[in-house]
Amino acid sequence: FLQCDNAKGLKAFYDAIKYGPNHLMVFGGVCATVTSIIAESLKGWNLVQLSFAATTPELADKKKYPYFFRTVPSDNAVNPAILKLLKHYHWKRVGTLTQDVQRFSEVRNDLTGVLYGEDIEISDTESFSNDPCTSVKKLKGNDVRIILGQFDEEMAVKVFCCAYDEEMYGSKYQWIIPGWYENLWWESWINSSQCLSKNLLAAMEGYIGVDFEPLSSKTNKTISGRTPQQYEKEYNAKRGDGQSSKFHGYAYDGIWVIARTLQRAMNYLNSTNKHQKIEDFNYTNHKLGKIFLNAMNETRFFGVTGEVVFRNGERMGTIKFTQFQEQKEVKVGEYNAVDDKLVIINNSIRFQGLEPPKDKTIIQEELRKISLPLYSILSALTILGMIMASAFLFFNIKNRNQKLIKMSSPYMNNLIILGGMLSYASIFLFGLDGSFVSEKTFETLCTVRTWILTVGYTTAFGAMFAKTWRVHAIFKNVKMKKKIIKDQKLLGIVGGMLLIDLCILICWQVVDPLRRTVEKYNMEPDPAGRDISIRPILEHCENTHMTIWLGIVYAYKGLLMLFGCFLAWETRNVSIPALNDSKYIGMSVYNVGIMCIIGAAVSFLTRDQPNVQFCIVALVIIFCSTITLCLVFVPKLITLRTNPDAATQNRRFQFTQNQKKEDSKTSTSVTSVNQASTSRLEGLQSENHRLRMKITELDKDLEEVTMQLQDTPEKTTYIKQNHYQDLNDILSIRNFTDGKDGEKAILKNHLDQNPPAQWGSSDPSRTSKEPIEDINSPEHIQRRLSLQLPILHHAYLPSIGGVDASCASPCVSPSASPRHRHVPPSFRVMVSGL
């Protein structure tokens, strides 16, 4: 059997059966292959075989090898011990790495059955033939920390070289491999690998070997009367310089097993059948063969290898644990299969970390929260901003009756301050996360802070743009005569903007409300050096269609900003500082727009850094709110303290138009917001020019009438009958309110020199001395026309800004004329007799 040759072993067995005496039992079998062949054929000869060195798990199959026993534990005997070790250190997740050899595959399969149902997971099972590096890499990829290996010494060197390359050693990993390797086994195979000796030893440091115990460590006396220590001393003395075998104790106990089995069989025969003896055994005597089989199975004693007991032909022995510490193997514990008890020797296992390795990467979820000092600092800045806004509110209310503040719409200013304070308040809510509030409260805050910031933005800029729209409507509407835009209408405009906001927010909340979501990031090493990995998690406020809703809100706010820019541009030339905030609105929109774009981009890029993100968002809100309030109120405050009247003084707008001859320039001044505009003045000038042309035509008609009167007296009747009515119709003109003092003075002088005669009056002297003449004679008519033509001429003056025809006295002051208040009715000037 020693040559491990199946043919020679089988021939030796048959020769012993054929030519030797009747053998009661077969003792031996070292090589697994030879032993398995002999054990399989023993049933035909009713022979019981006892081996002290065959550890192959295959021989544990009692259906195939019913008459086989062994005093040495099989390779599978280590699996219950490994299970006990795993439970001792609470390792519930392992991986296996097996060499493609039947012996190791059988152990691995048995281990799978042992671990099954014990709440221990085999997360990965890898096998290899020659190069284990690929399998080692897969184990690392599956986060296997506890590796159960089954391979020989040559492959063990390659495995640990690969482990070194993959950094699968140290405090995070634990290797458990067979412990039956020879002493200094790595030195024999180090040259066959490409790994340096120091690297190999570094990877091997701390591995645990599992193997059966060659001799018991107990000091009890054995069946032979010696303690295991005494036996070992005597054995070493007798073997001298011969090579030691780790199976010698099992061979020694095997002899005692055979002796006790025969003794037990003899006692059984003596007690049941006095006529039969063990010497009567032959290869066909099934009865005696069965007696020997049962007697060996019931044998139990304490030997030099520990408690000797069989269970289904398998030795229930002692398994030892050794650990590779500082280039040597040290016994750290043992497992007693009989008592199912694991003993760790004085906590001699030394792990390279502060504690045993974890069976997997312990992922500790850590909420990335906002730093309390940062939150405190930004909250303090926010409070300062709110104090500033309150100061502006006090200033606005206190000076609301001042002309400067009154012209700048104090109610709208209050709304701007309110919007700024709402924006400030949202910062407190943005800084509250899971470290301050519960999950349910955080989800509520998601909605509340969105509403507050949105409403605050619209309130502030909506009020600013609304009062700018009023200035635009007054100064840019050329057809408007007089229009009063009250604050109630501006409040309605702001309310309409807020109504749009509310519609968007309500639809958002009803259709797709904001929820608390947790985003997990890549694992990070523990800063404290523990064998754990930190998985940062971060809370977000999100919903299913977040992009769509944000796009709607951004589009609306963008249109609002563009509308404000348009109004600011249109009103840039309004030169009343108390009314015109276009410059400051443009500056505010520019700063807010740039900061919002930068803030949104940086905030998106720092989603995984809540402190940075919160800092950026808070600073953007603080900056935008502060700069907006300061641009609106600081100039007013400075102006009110230095020159309160300068901002409300009216500036004159000059409008020119080239006309023929004397009408080269006409100027007017804007005395209030609701007075005439440039277009209205130009229209009046055009109308004035038209009326002048009409006067020229009327003068030509009058001249023609005069010429006709001078031609013949015969035409008097024609004039009398036909032209009186024509003259009255021609002289009927519309009286305009615009007049000139100079032309009034001309009319006054003319009337003084030529006073009109009264109807029916007569001179007494003429009455008594001369006869009465015909008043319709040509001479009288010509005389009347010569006197009344200048009067008729001045009667047209109201059409071009001259004397009002309704004026009772030429000396009346022009300011008292009704033309300055109302449009007078039309007047007629008739030719009457003197």
Side-chain angles (χ1 to χ4, degrees), residues 189-207:
W189 304 100
I190 185 63
N191 295 328
S192 63
S193 67
Q194 298 179 355
C195 188
L196 297 178
S197 178
K198 64 176 183 179
N199 296 341
L200 176 63
L201 293 175
M204 291 169 54
E205 185 68 24
Y207 80 75

Side-chain angles (χ1 to χ4, degrees), residues 263-276:
Q263 183 182 13
R264 194 177 187 86
M266 291 173 61
N267 293 336
Y268 177 79
L269 290 174
N270 291 333
S271 62
T272 57
N273 191 350
K274 297 182 180 180
H275 301 288
Q276 193 172 15

Side-chain angles (χ1 to χ4, degrees), residues 25 48-50 62 66-70 257-258 260-262 264-265 289-301 308-316:
M25 295 181 185
V48 176
Q49 182 181 3
L50 179 64
K62 287 302 165 184
Y67 284 83
F68 178 79
F69 289 82
R70 48 188 167 191
V257 168
I258 293 175
R260 292 298 301 267
T261 299
L262 293 176
R264 194 177 187 86
K290 203 69 173 176
I291 292 174
F292 292 155
L293 181 64
N294 293 333
M296 183 171 288
N297 202 32
E298 295 174 359
T299 299
R300 183 170 184 173
F301 61 89
V308 178
V309 60
F310 298 101
R311 184 175 298 169
N312 292 326
E314 293 294 310
R315 167 74 186 273
M316 303 298 294

Side-chain angles (χ1 to χ4, degrees), residues 473-717:
I474 291 172
F475 283 90
K476 293 297 179 180
N477 190 355
V478 298
K479 296 183 179 180
M480 183 175 62
K481 293 183 179 180
K482 182 178 179 182
K483 187 174 183 180
I484 299 176
I485 302 177
K486 297 184 178 180
D487 287 344
Q488 287 80 355
K489 186 169 185 179
L490 301 186
L491 291 174
I493 293 174
V494 178
M497 295 179 182
L498 290 175
L499 184 61
I500 296 175
D501 266 336
L502 292 178
C503 291
I504 295 174
L505 293 173
I506 291 173
C507 293
W508 189 350
Q509 182 65 23
V510 173
V511 177
D512 192 12
L514 289 171
R515 303 292 184 187
R516 174 186 178 271
T517 60
V518 176
E519 184 176 2
K520 297 182 179 181
Y521 295 90
N522 295 330
M523 293 183 293
E524 300 174 354
D526 180 40
R530 297 174 297 173
D531 185 20
I532 62 174
S533 293
I534 305 297
R535 184 186 294 278
I537 62 173
L538 190 60
E539 295 174 311
H540 292 296
C541 294
E542 293 181 349
N543 52 14
T544 306
H545 305 289
M546 189 71 174
T547 305
I548 297 176
W549 293 110
L550 288 179
I552 294 173
V553 173
Y554 290 160
Y556 172 54
K557 302 302 179 185
L559 291 175
L560 186 61
M561 296 289 281
L562 291 176
F563 177 65
C565 292
F566 167 76
L567 293 177
W569 176 260
E570 287 290 304
T571 59
R572 67 190 184 280
N573 292 325
V574 177
S575 59
I576 303 177
L579 296 174
N580 186 13
D581 289 334
S582 62
K583 178 175 67 174
Y584 303 120
I585 291 175
M587 294 172 61
S588 178
V589 170
Y590 174 79
N591 286 283
V592 171
I594 294 297
M595 290 302 298
C596 288
I597 293 173
I598 295 175
V602 176
S603 177
F604 177 78
L605 295 175
T606 57
R607 281 172 56 90
D608 58 339
Q609 303 178 43
N611 286 321
V612 177
Q613 187 182 44
F614 172 64
C615 184
I616 294 296
V617 171
L619 290 178
V620 167
I621 294 176
I622 292 173
F623 177 82
C624 294
S625 301
T626 304
I627 200 69
T628 300
L629 293 176
C630 289
L631 287 173
V632 172
F633 291 99
V634 170
K636 294 178 175 56
L637 190 148
I638 295 174
T639 304
L640 191 63
R641 290 179 61 88
T642 57
N643 189 7
D645 295 328
T648 59
Q649 291 176 353
N650 299 323
R651 298 181 182 179
R652 298 179 179 273
F653 293 81
Q654 303 295 330
F655 305 96
T656 62
Q657 180 185 19
N658 293 327
Q659 296 181 354
K660 294 181 180 179
K661 299 179 182 180
E662 73 277 11
D663 297 324
S664 59
K665 290 187 178 180
T666 302
S667 63
T668 184
S669 61
V670 179
T671 59
S672 67
V673 175
N674 297 319
Q675 292 181 354
S677 63
T678 304
S679 298
R680 181 177 176 85
L681 290 176
E682 292 175 351
L684 292 175
Q685 291 173 352
S686 177
E687 182 70 12
N688 195 351
H689 180 71
R690 185 183 66 81
L691 292 175
R692 286 175 182 273
M693 297 300 295
K694 185 175 181 180
I695 288 174
T696 304
E697 295 176 359
L698 292 175
D699 287 340
K700 291 180 179 179
D701 292 340
L702 287 173
E703 185 178 357
E704 183 180 354
V705 172
T706 301
M707 296 300 295
Q708 291 177 1
L709 290 174
Q710 292 177 352
D711 287 342
T712 58
E714 290 78 14
K715 297 180 180 179
T716 304
T717 306

Side-chain angles (χ1 to χ4, degrees), residues 174 205-206 323-326 332 347-353:
Q174 183 61 60
E205 185 68 24
Q323 187 178 36
F324 190 75
Q325 301 176 2
E326 299 178 355
V332 294
N347 296 321
S348 56
I349 294 183
R350 296 193 313 193
F351 297 105
Q352 299 184 54

Side-chain angles (χ1 to χ4, degrees), residues 324-343:
F324 190 75
Q325 301 176 2
E326 299 178 355
Q327 302 185 24
K328 61 181 180 179
E329 292 187 348
V330 179
K331 183 179 178 180
V332 294
E334 64 180 19
Y335 168 75
N336 190 331
V338 178
D339 299 332
D340 192 24
K341 184 178 180 181
L342 175 66
V343 178

